[in-house]
Amino acid sequence: MPLATPLKNLDRELARFHGRLKAGGIFVVLLAAALLGRAFYLQIAQHDYYIQRAENNRISLVPVAPNRGLILDRKGRILAENYSAYTLELARAQPHDLEATLTEVGKLIEITPGELRRFRRLLAESHEFETVPLKSKLSDEEVAILAANRYRLPGVEVKARLFRNYQAGPGMAHVVGFIGRINDRDLKSLRESGREQNYRGTVHIGKTGLEQSYETLLHGRTGFDQMETDASGRAVRALSRIPPVPGKDLRLYLDEGLQAVAEHAFGDYMGGLVALDPNTGGVLALVSKPGFDPNLFIDGIDPETWKALNESPERPMVNRVLRGIYPPGSTIKPFMGLAGLELGVRKPEDTIVDPGYFSLPNSSHQFRDWKRGGHGIVDLRRAITQSCDTYFYKLAVDMGIDRMHDYLQKFSFGEKTGIDLDGESAGLLPSRDWKQRRWKKIWYPGETVIAGIGQGYHLTTPLQLATATAMLANGGKRIEPRLVQAVRDPLTHVWQPQPVVVHEQLAIKPEDLAVVRQGMMDAMRPGGTAAAAAAGATYTIAGKTGTAQVVGIKQGARYDAGSLSRKNRDHALFIAYAPAENPTIVVAVMVENGGHGGSTAAPIARAVFDYYLTGKRPGNMKFEGSDASD
């Protein structure tokens, strides 16, 4: 017999239903409260924040790059200027078939293989939000064609950009330098210095020369346009503008005409020349030859050209005035002579008998004089005039390498001069301690002998030689060399002179300095080593020739330039100032593999002196600059 079905407990079922209904009601109330709370938070508590975000979606800040400052020579000639041109660029952020777009653009205007290679290189280096230039300096016809076909070229933009032009060309490349496209290393440096915001919208930055050293002043301050945009991001109207502030202009001590004369005077030789004002430290000319065209780097140099420049045996990218280090040769002798007098090792009237060589005690090795048979009886003045090696061999031994080092160091040898260009070499001023630290070896007496005539370990730059010579010319003031004479504010248009930086005033006895100066003046007169270079001058020159060995010569052998390849011939050096009575210009010249300073380097300096002091140019030179402001 089947069991009876138990009756349902209606009260329990009803209580369970009421519980579920209550729980559901509580959940609905809580959910409604959460929604209301969230709405309150979004609409009231965060009202200002979201209004601002909505406004930002409607309004865009478009950076406006400032005009870069100009670089002018002392007479107002423009060395670096700006001009505007249209550029074809592709936006990475917009979705489009890159290859198809490039093909389509190539059907409309000419895109060279070099431009394509540069575009792909820049594309790999650029950031996602950037536009990448494909073709620069578009013609009006090309701009019109691209504008008419823009509707079918997604991601393609034609922008007006500022470009840099270096009118002076290769001769001024190592001074002015060049700008180049901002890369990752530049961005990192800008972030670390807190200047990244000021470079929004800027494509280029100074890479070398004054463009790099004075980048902060030349760049200016970026402005911003506040633009209203539609839902697709297109600009509708301009709301407001924070105008950009142009960069500051630089006026140099340097004279473009003097620079051109110096470069021309080198002819086919390589080397470096620097001319200074001994009273201000102003750089009047700075030539490193060969140079290069800085305009090649503005849009991004192609790999083939870069390889040719970078791997050239002539090293056109190296600034020989700042970074070329060479033995000073006999140009060190005036400083050695002054050291001997000031340290009490020699008196002006002290003489030696020069047989044509010098030997250390108990040694048969002969350190030869350049003049076979010697100079006879020689005092300091005549030793400088005729560049007597034997006199300075003996002086070096009597002085010792340590005292020699300490005194020459006061003339900037072995130290950076502090010029307002990056990349300067400190050269090398040897000492006993230096050799021990560097090579863990003792110093030998024979090394002191050859140091007395600027050979051996001693290495210097043309700029160091010029700075030291300026101290002879101005009575011992060590002035920091400077290219920039004044800076012009773009808002007030007022030129602000830059300070003259005097590091120290070396106390030199006037009578000692007079002996050295007289020896240098005699070197430019009949019987002196550079007499031919001074012939016919209407002003007095004080100078010193020098020759720096490139390859060693065996004991008993004589130097024969004709038997050597050009790259193994001696370097020719010359230092001088003029007018000797009241110097206004100092020149240091180094001619690589030029042979003798008197016959190769000194005539180059004479051309510079003639132009600066009398306005005379070499007869076979054409100079296209303007002397209207002379």
PDB file of all heavy atoms in Angstrom, residues 9-40:
ATOM      1  N   ASN A   9       4.458  22.365   4.093  1.00  0.00           N
ATOM      2  CA  ASN A   9       4.391  23.299   5.217  1.00  0.00           C
ATOM      3  C   ASN A   9       4.317  24.701   4.625  1.00  0.00           C
ATOM      4  O   ASN A   9       5.310  25.316   4.270  1.00  0.00           O
ATOM      5  CB  ASN A   9       5.628  23.156   6.101  1.00  0.00           C
ATOM      6  CG  ASN A   9       5.495  23.950   7.393  1.00  0.00           C
ATOM      7  OD1 ASN A   9       4.804  24.955   7.436  1.00  0.00           O
ATOM      8  ND2 ASN A   9       6.190  23.470   8.429  1.00  0.00           N
ATOM      9  N   LEU A  10       3.115  25.188   4.465  1.00  0.00           N
ATOM     10  CA  LEU A  10       2.906  26.477   3.801  1.00  0.00           C
ATOM     11  C   LEU A  10       3.534  27.632   4.563  1.00  0.00           C
ATOM     12  O   LEU A  10       4.048  28.580   3.973  1.00  0.00           O
ATOM     13  CB  LEU A  10       1.405  26.733   3.625  1.00  0.00           C
ATOM     14  CG  LEU A  10       0.682  25.729   2.686  1.00  0.00           C
ATOM     15  CD1 LEU A  10      -0.817  26.038   2.622  1.00  0.00           C
ATOM     16  CD2 LEU A  10       1.271  25.783   1.297  1.00  0.00           C
ATOM     17  N   ASP A  11       3.512  27.550   5.872  1.00  0.00           N
ATOM     18  CA  ASP A  11       4.092  28.654   6.650  1.00  0.00           C
ATOM     19  C   ASP A  11       5.609  28.760   6.409  1.00  0.00           C
ATOM     20  O   ASP A  11       6.171  29.851   6.284  1.00  0.00           O
ATOM     21  CB  ASP A  11       3.825  28.427   8.152  1.00  0.00           C
ATOM     22  CG  ASP A  11       2.334  28.597   8.488  1.00  0.00           C
ATOM     23  OD1 ASP A  11       1.647  29.281   7.689  1.00  0.00           O
ATOM     24  OD2 ASP A  11       1.915  28.052   9.499  1.00  0.00           O
ATOM     25  N   ARG A  12       6.223  27.545   6.364  1.00  0.00           N
ATOM     26  CA  ARG A  12       7.682  27.569   6.137  1.00  0.00           C
ATOM     27  C   ARG A  12       8.024  28.063   4.735  1.00  0.00           C
ATOM     28  O   ARG A  12       8.966  28.822   4.526  1.00  0.00           O
ATOM     29  CB  ARG A  12       8.229  26.161   6.361  1.00  0.00           C
ATOM     30  CG  ARG A  12       9.762  26.126   6.329  1.00  0.00           C
ATOM     31  CD  ARG A  12      10.276  24.783   6.770  1.00  0.00           C
ATOM     32  NE  ARG A  12       9.759  23.730   5.917  1.00  0.00           N
ATOM     33  CZ  ARG A  12       9.884  22.420   6.160  1.00  0.00           C
ATOM     34  NH1 ARG A  12      10.499  22.037   7.272  1.00  0.00           N
ATOM     35  NH2 ARG A  12       9.379  21.521   5.344  1.00  0.00           N
ATOM     36  N   GLU A  13       7.244  27.596   3.743  1.00  0.00           N
ATOM     37  CA  GLU A  13       7.469  28.037   2.375  1.00  0.00           C
ATOM     38  C   GLU A  13       7.283  29.548   2.257  1.00  0.00           C
ATOM     39  O   GLU A  13       8.034  30.240   1.580  1.00  0.00           O
ATOM     40  CB  GLU A  13       6.504  27.314   1.427  1.00  0.00           C
ATOM     41  CG  GLU A  13       6.794  25.834   1.256  1.00  0.00           C
ATOM     42  CD  GLU A  13       8.048  25.634   0.419  1.00  0.00           C
ATOM     43  OE1 GLU A  13       8.430  26.537  -0.359  1.00  0.00           O
ATOM     44  OE2 GLU A  13       8.681  24.584   0.569  1.00  0.00           O
ATOM     45  N   LEU A  14       6.259  30.046   2.917  1.00  0.00           N
ATOM     46  CA  LEU A  14       5.979  31.483   2.845  1.00  0.00           C
ATOM     47  C   LEU A  14       7.096  32.289   3.513  1.00  0.00           C
ATOM     48  O   LEU A  14       7.518  33.330   3.008  1.00  0.00           O
ATOM     49  CB  LEU A  14       4.628  31.766   3.526  1.00  0.00           C
ATOM     50  CG  LEU A  14       4.109  33.204   3.417  1.00  0.00           C
ATOM     51  CD1 LEU A  14       3.881  33.580   1.954  1.00  0.00           C
ATOM     52  CD2 LEU A  14       2.778  33.349   4.188  1.00  0.00           C
ATOM     53  N   ALA A  15       7.628  31.768   4.620  1.00  0.00           N
ATOM     54  CA  ALA A  15       8.713  32.476   5.311  1.00  0.00           C
ATOM     55  C   ALA A  15       9.978  32.501   4.437  1.00  0.00           C
ATOM     56  O   ALA A  15      10.696  33.518   4.383  1.00  0.00           O
ATOM     57  CB  ALA A  15       9.005  31.787   6.645  1.00  0.00           C
ATOM     58  N   ARG A  16      10.205  31.339   3.773  1.00  0.00           N
ATOM     59  CA  ARG A  16      11.371  31.288   2.889  1.00  0.00           C
ATOM     60  C   ARG A  16      11.239  32.278   1.734  1.00  0.00           C
ATOM     61  O   ARG A  16      12.192  32.957   1.355  1.00  0.00           O
ATOM     62  CB  ARG A  16      11.533  29.869   2.362  1.00  0.00           C
ATOM     63  CG  ARG A  16      12.792  29.661   1.536  1.00  0.00           C
ATOM     64  CD  ARG A  16      12.864  28.216   1.064  1.00  0.00           C
ATOM     65  NE  ARG A  16      12.968  27.327   2.222  1.00  0.00           N
ATOM     66  CZ  ARG A  16      12.851  26.007   2.134  1.00  0.00           C
ATOM     67  NH1 ARG A  16      12.613  25.443   0.950  1.00  0.00           N
ATOM     68  NH2 ARG A  16      12.948  25.257   3.209  1.00  0.00           N
ATOM     69  N   PHE A  17      10.048  32.372   1.186  1.00  0.00           N
ATOM     70  CA  PHE A  17       9.815  33.303   0.074  1.00  0.00           C
ATOM     71  C   PHE A  17      10.019  34.745   0.526  1.00  0.00           C
ATOM     72  O   PHE A  17      10.651  35.548  -0.183  1.00  0.00           O
ATOM     73  CB  PHE A  17       8.392  33.105  -0.447  1.00  0.00           C
ATOM     74  CG  PHE A  17       7.971  34.137  -1.465  1.00  0.00           C
ATOM     75  CD1 PHE A  17       8.458  34.100  -2.764  1.00  0.00           C
ATOM     76  CD2 PHE A  17       7.116  35.170  -1.105  1.00  0.00           C
ATOM     77  CE1 PHE A  17       8.070  35.066  -3.677  1.00  0.00           C
ATOM     78  CE2 PHE A  17       6.736  36.119  -2.023  1.00  0.00           C
ATOM     79  CZ  PHE A  17       7.205  36.074  -3.322  1.00  0.00           C
ATOM     80  N   HIS A  18       9.491  35.066   1.719  1.00  0.00           N
ATOM     81  CA  HIS A  18       9.650  36.429   2.233  1.00  0.00           C
ATOM     82  C   HIS A  18      11.137  36.765   2.457  1.00  0.00           C
ATOM     83  O   HIS A  18      11.576  37.901   2.224  1.00  0.00           O
ATOM     84  CB  HIS A  18       8.874  36.592   3.548  1.00  0.00           C
ATOM     85  CG  HIS A  18       7.387  36.711   3.323  1.00  0.00           C
ATOM     86  ND1 HIS A  18       6.442  36.416   4.303  1.00  0.00           N
ATOM     87  CD2 HIS A  18       6.656  37.068   2.222  1.00  0.00           C
ATOM     88  CE1 HIS A  18       5.229  36.603   3.832  1.00  0.00           C
ATOM     89  NE2 HIS A  18       5.340  36.984   2.552  1.00  0.00           N
ATOM     90  N   GLY A  19      11.900  35.742   2.894  1.00  0.00           N
ATOM     91  CA  GLY A  19      13.333  35.972   3.088  1.00  0.00           C
ATOM     92  C   GLY A  19      14.047  36.274   1.777  1.00  0.00           C
ATOM     93  O   GLY A  19      14.904  37.177   1.700  1.00  0.00           O
ATOM     94  N   ARG A  20      13.698  35.481   0.771  1.00  0.00           N
ATOM     95  CA  ARG A  20      14.314  35.732  -0.538  1.00  0.00           C
ATOM     96  C   ARG A  20      13.926  37.111  -1.085  1.00  0.00           C
ATOM     97  O   ARG A  20      14.740  37.815  -1.678  1.00  0.00           O
ATOM     98  CB  ARG A  20      13.897  34.648  -1.521  1.00  0.00           C
ATOM     99  CG  ARG A  20      14.487  33.288  -1.206  1.00  0.00           C
ATOM    100  CD  ARG A  20      13.912  32.236  -2.116  1.00  0.00           C
ATOM    101  NE  ARG A  20      14.505  30.928  -1.833  1.00  0.00           N
ATOM    102  CZ  ARG A  20      14.061  29.797  -2.391  1.00  0.00           C
ATOM    103  NH1 ARG A  20      13.051  29.831  -3.239  1.00  0.00           N
ATOM    104  NH2 ARG A  20      14.636  28.647  -2.070  1.00  0.00           N
ATOM    105  N   LEU A  21      12.637  37.432  -0.881  1.00  0.00           N
ATOM    106  CA  LEU A  21      12.163  38.728  -1.364  1.00  0.00           C
ATOM    107  C   LEU A  21      12.891  39.875  -0.653  1.00  0.00           C
ATOM    108  O   LEU A  21      13.285  40.865  -1.260  1.00  0.00           O
ATOM    109  CB  LEU A  21      10.650  38.820  -1.140  1.00  0.00           C
ATOM    110  CG  LEU A  21       9.958  40.070  -1.710  1.00  0.00           C
ATOM    111  CD1 LEU A  21      10.082  40.104  -3.235  1.00  0.00           C
ATOM    112  CD2 LEU A  21       8.477  40.086  -1.311  1.00  0.00           C
ATOM    113  N   LYS A  22      13.117  39.717   0.634  1.00  0.00           N
ATOM    114  CA  LYS A  22      13.815  40.752   1.401  1.00  0.00           C
ATOM    115  C   LYS A  22      15.270  40.876   0.954  1.00  0.00           C
ATOM    116  O   LYS A  22      15.791  41.993   0.806  1.00  0.00           O
ATOM    117  CB  LYS A  22      13.745  40.401   2.890  1.00  0.00           C
ATOM    118  CG  LYS A  22      14.314  41.507   3.799  1.00  0.00           C
ATOM    119  CD  LYS A  22      14.274  41.079   5.245  1.00  0.00           C
ATOM    120  CE  LYS A  22      12.822  40.919   5.717  1.00  0.00           C
ATOM    121  NZ  LYS A  22      12.745  40.585   7.182  1.00  0.00           N
ATOM    122  N   ALA A  23      15.913  39.706   0.727  1.00  0.00           N
ATOM    123  CA  ALA A  23      17.311  39.740   0.282  1.00  0.00           C
ATOM    124  C   ALA A  23      17.440  40.408  -1.086  1.00  0.00           C
ATOM    125  O   ALA A  23      18.349  41.206  -1.349  1.00  0.00           O
ATOM    126  CB  ALA A  23      17.881  38.322   0.225  1.00  0.00           C
ATOM    127  N   GLY A  24      16.473  40.052  -1.970  1.00  0.00           N
ATOM    128  CA  GLY A  24      16.489  40.686  -3.286  1.00  0.00           C
ATOM    129  C   GLY A  24      16.283  42.178  -3.188  1.00  0.00           C
ATOM    130  O   GLY A  24      16.906  42.969  -3.907  1.00  0.00           O
ATOM    131  N   GLY A  25      15.404  42.568  -2.296  1.00  0.00           N
ATOM    132  CA  GLY A  25      15.151  44.005  -2.128  1.00  0.00           C
ATOM    133  C   GLY A  25      16.376  44.737  -1.605  1.00  0.00           C
ATOM    134  O   GLY A  25      16.709  45.852  -2.060  1.00  0.00           O
ATOM    135  N   ILE A  26      17.031  44.085  -0.630  1.00  0.00           N
ATOM    136  CA  ILE A  26      18.252  44.711  -0.094  1.00  0.00           C
ATOM    137  C   ILE A  26      19.305  44.842  -1.182  1.00  0.00           C
ATOM    138  O   ILE A  26      19.989  45.870  -1.295  1.00  0.00           O
ATOM    139  CB  ILE A  26      18.781  43.896   1.100  1.00  0.00           C
ATOM    140  CG1 ILE A  26      17.803  43.977   2.274  1.00  0.00           C
ATOM    141  CG2 ILE A  26      20.168  44.384   1.508  1.00  0.00           C
ATOM    142  CD1 ILE A  26      18.149  43.061   3.416  1.00  0.00           C
ATOM    143  N   PHE A  27      19.451  43.794  -2.028  1.00  0.00           N
ATOM    144  CA  PHE A  27      20.439  43.831  -3.105  1.00  0.00           C
ATOM    145  C   PHE A  27      20.139  44.965  -4.083  1.00  0.00           C
ATOM    146  O   PHE A  27      21.032  45.693  -4.513  1.00  0.00           O
ATOM    147  CB  PHE A  27      20.449  42.486  -3.838  1.00  0.00           C
ATOM    148  CG  PHE A  27      21.372  42.451  -5.018  1.00  0.00           C
ATOM    149  CD1 PHE A  27      22.738  42.369  -4.851  1.00  0.00           C
ATOM    150  CD2 PHE A  27      20.856  42.530  -6.315  1.00  0.00           C
ATOM    151  CE1 PHE A  27      23.592  42.351  -5.943  1.00  0.00           C
ATOM    152  CE2 PHE A  27      21.698  42.520  -7.407  1.00  0.00           C
ATOM    153  CZ  PHE A  27      23.073  42.429  -7.225  1.00  0.00           C
ATOM    154  N   VAL A  28      18.819  45.080  -4.418  1.00  0.00           N
ATOM    155  CA  VAL A  28      18.427  46.147  -5.345  1.00  0.00           C
ATOM    156  C   VAL A  28      18.719  47.518  -4.738  1.00  0.00           C
ATOM    157  O   VAL A  28      19.204  48.428  -5.406  1.00  0.00           O
ATOM    158  CB  VAL A  28      16.935  46.008  -5.708  1.00  0.00           C
ATOM    159  CG1 VAL A  28      16.448  47.236  -6.476  1.00  0.00           C
ATOM    160  CG2 VAL A  28      16.710  44.764  -6.549  1.00  0.00           C
ATOM    161  N   VAL A  29      18.410  47.651  -3.433  1.00  0.00           N
ATOM    162  CA  VAL A  29      18.663  48.937  -2.775  1.00  0.00           C
ATOM    163  C   VAL A  29      20.162  49.249  -2.764  1.00  0.00           C
ATOM    164  O   VAL A  29      20.587  50.381  -3.041  1.00  0.00           O
ATOM    165  CB  VAL A  29      18.090  48.919  -1.341  1.00  0.00           C
ATOM    166  CG1 VAL A  29      18.584  50.154  -0.572  1.00  0.00           C
ATOM    167  CG2 VAL A  29      16.583  48.887  -1.380  1.00  0.00           C
ATOM    168  N   LEU A  30      20.965  48.217  -2.422  1.00  0.00           N
ATOM    169  CA  LEU A  30      22.411  48.432  -2.403  1.00  0.00           C
ATOM    170  C   LEU A  30      22.948  48.780  -3.788  1.00  0.00           C
ATOM    171  O   LEU A  30      23.820  49.647  -3.939  1.00  0.00           O
ATOM    172  CB  LEU A  30      23.127  47.189  -1.866  1.00  0.00           C
ATOM    173  CG  LEU A  30      22.919  46.890  -0.380  1.00  0.00           C
ATOM    174  CD1 LEU A  30      23.568  45.566  -0.017  1.00  0.00           C
ATOM    175  CD2 LEU A  30      23.489  48.026   0.469  1.00  0.00           C
ATOM    176  N   LEU A  31      22.460  48.081  -4.811  1.00  0.00           N
ATOM    177  CA  LEU A  31      22.897  48.354  -6.174  1.00  0.00           C
ATOM    178  C   LEU A  31      22.514  49.768  -6.595  1.00  0.00           C
ATOM    179  O   LEU A  31      23.312  50.502  -7.200  1.00  0.00           O
ATOM    180  CB  LEU A  31      22.296  47.322  -7.134  1.00  0.00           C
ATOM    181  CG  LEU A  31      22.710  47.446  -8.607  1.00  0.00           C
ATOM    182  CD1 LEU A  31      24.222  47.283  -8.735  1.00  0.00           C
ATOM    183  CD2 LEU A  31      21.984  46.414  -9.462  1.00  0.00           C
ATOM    184  N   ALA A  32      21.296  50.152  -6.240  1.00  0.00           N
ATOM    185  CA  ALA A  32      20.853  51.508  -6.569  1.00  0.00           C
ATOM    186  C   ALA A  32      21.699  52.545  -5.830  1.00  0.00           C
ATOM    187  O   ALA A  32      22.074  53.588  -6.384  1.00  0.00           O
ATOM    188  CB  ALA A  32      19.371  51.676  -6.216  1.00  0.00           C
ATOM    189  N   ALA A  33      22.010  52.217  -4.575  1.00  0.00           N
ATOM    190  CA  ALA A  33      22.841  53.148  -3.802  1.00  0.00           C
ATOM    191  C   ALA A  33      24.236  53.269  -4.412  1.00  0.00           C
ATOM    192  O   ALA A  33      24.808  54.357  -4.467  1.00  0.00           O
ATOM    193  CB  ALA A  33      22.935  52.669  -2.354  1.00  0.00           C
ATOM    194  N   ALA A  34      24.778  52.125  -4.858  1.00  0.00           N
ATOM    195  CA  ALA A  34      26.091  52.147  -5.495  1.00  0.00           C
ATOM    196  C   ALA A  34      26.083  52.973  -6.776  1.00  0.00           C
ATOM    197  O   ALA A  34      26.989  53.760  -7.050  1.00  0.00           O
ATOM    198  CB  ALA A  34      26.565  50.722  -5.790  1.00  0.00           C
ATOM    199  N   LEU A  35      25.019  52.766  -7.573  1.00  0.00           N
ATOM    200  CA  LEU A  35      24.907  53.533  -8.811  1.00  0.00           C
ATOM    201  C   LEU A  35      24.759  55.021  -8.526  1.00  0.00           C
ATOM    202  O   LEU A  35      25.362  55.862  -9.187  1.00  0.00           O
ATOM    203  CB  LEU A  35      23.726  53.025  -9.632  1.00  0.00           C
ATOM    204  CG  LEU A  35      23.886  51.617 -10.232  1.00  0.00           C
ATOM    205  CD1 LEU A  35      22.600  51.161 -10.894  1.00  0.00           C
ATOM    206  CD2 LEU A  35      25.030  51.609 -11.248  1.00  0.00           C
ATOM    207  N   LEU A  36      23.922  55.328  -7.529  1.00  0.00           N
ATOM    208  CA  LEU A  36      23.749  56.733  -7.159  1.00  0.00           C
ATOM    209  C   LEU A  36      25.048  57.332  -6.610  1.00  0.00           C
ATOM    210  O   LEU A  36      25.396  58.468  -6.905  1.00  0.00           O
ATOM    211  CB  LEU A  36      22.626  56.861  -6.114  1.00  0.00           C
ATOM    212  CG  LEU A  36      21.201  56.648  -6.637  1.00  0.00           C
ATOM    213  CD1 LEU A  36      20.210  56.623  -5.478  1.00  0.00           C
ATOM    214  CD2 LEU A  36      20.816  57.742  -7.626  1.00  0.00           C
ATOM    215  N   GLY A  37      25.769  56.505  -5.813  1.00  0.00           N
ATOM    216  CA  GLY A  37      27.049  56.975  -5.281  1.00  0.00           C
ATOM    217  C   GLY A  37      28.060  57.231  -6.381  1.00  0.00           C
ATOM    218  O   GLY A  37      28.798  58.221  -6.356  1.00  0.00           O
ATOM    219  N   ARG A  38      28.100  56.285  -7.338  1.00  0.00           N
ATOM    220  CA  ARG A  38      29.031  56.452  -8.449  1.00  0.00           C
ATOM    221  C   ARG A  38      28.672  57.676  -9.287  1.00  0.00           C
ATOM    222  O   ARG A  38      29.535  58.433  -9.719  1.00  0.00           O
ATOM    223  CB  ARG A  38      29.028  55.199  -9.336  1.00  0.00           C
ATOM    224  CG  ARG A  38      30.015  55.240 -10.483  1.00  0.00           C
ATOM    225  CD  ARG A  38      31.425  55.340  -9.984  1.00  0.00           C
ATOM    226  NE  ARG A  38      32.384  55.313 -11.091  1.00  0.00           N
ATOM    227  CZ  ARG A  38      33.670  55.574 -10.970  1.00  0.00           C
ATOM    228  NH1 ARG A  38      34.157  55.906  -9.766  1.00  0.00           N
ATOM    229  NH2 ARG A  38      34.453  55.525 -12.013  1.00  0.00           N
ATOM    230  N   ALA A  39      27.347  57.845  -9.498  1.00  0.00           N
ATOM    231  CA  ALA A  39      26.896  59.013 -10.250  1.00  0.00           C
ATOM    232  C   ALA A  39      27.256  60.296  -9.513  1.00  0.00           C
ATOM    233  O   ALA A  39      27.689  61.285 -10.124  1.00  0.00           O
ATOM    234  CB  ALA A  39      25.387  58.937 -10.485  1.00  0.00           C
ATOM    235  N   PHE A  40      27.108  60.286  -8.182  1.00  0.00           N
ATOM    236  CA  PHE A  40      27.470  61.459  -7.386  1.00  0.00           C
ATOM    237  C   PHE A  40      28.973  61.737  -7.506  1.00  0.00           C
ATOM    238  O   PHE A  40      29.397  62.871  -7.667  1.00  0.00           O
ATOM    239  CB  PHE A  40      27.095  61.223  -5.917  1.00  0.00           C
ATOM    240  CG  PHE A  40      27.516  62.346  -5.008  1.00  0.00           C
ATOM    241  CD1 PHE A  40      26.721  63.474  -4.854  1.00  0.00           C
ATOM    242  CD2 PHE A  40      28.718  62.280  -4.307  1.00  0.00           C
ATOM    243  CE1 PHE A  40      27.117  64.513  -4.024  1.00  0.00           C
ATOM    244  CE2 PHE A  40      29.129  63.316  -3.487  1.00  0.00           C
ATOM    245  CZ  PHE A  40      28.323  64.439  -3.346  1.00  0.00           C
TER     246      PHE A  40
END
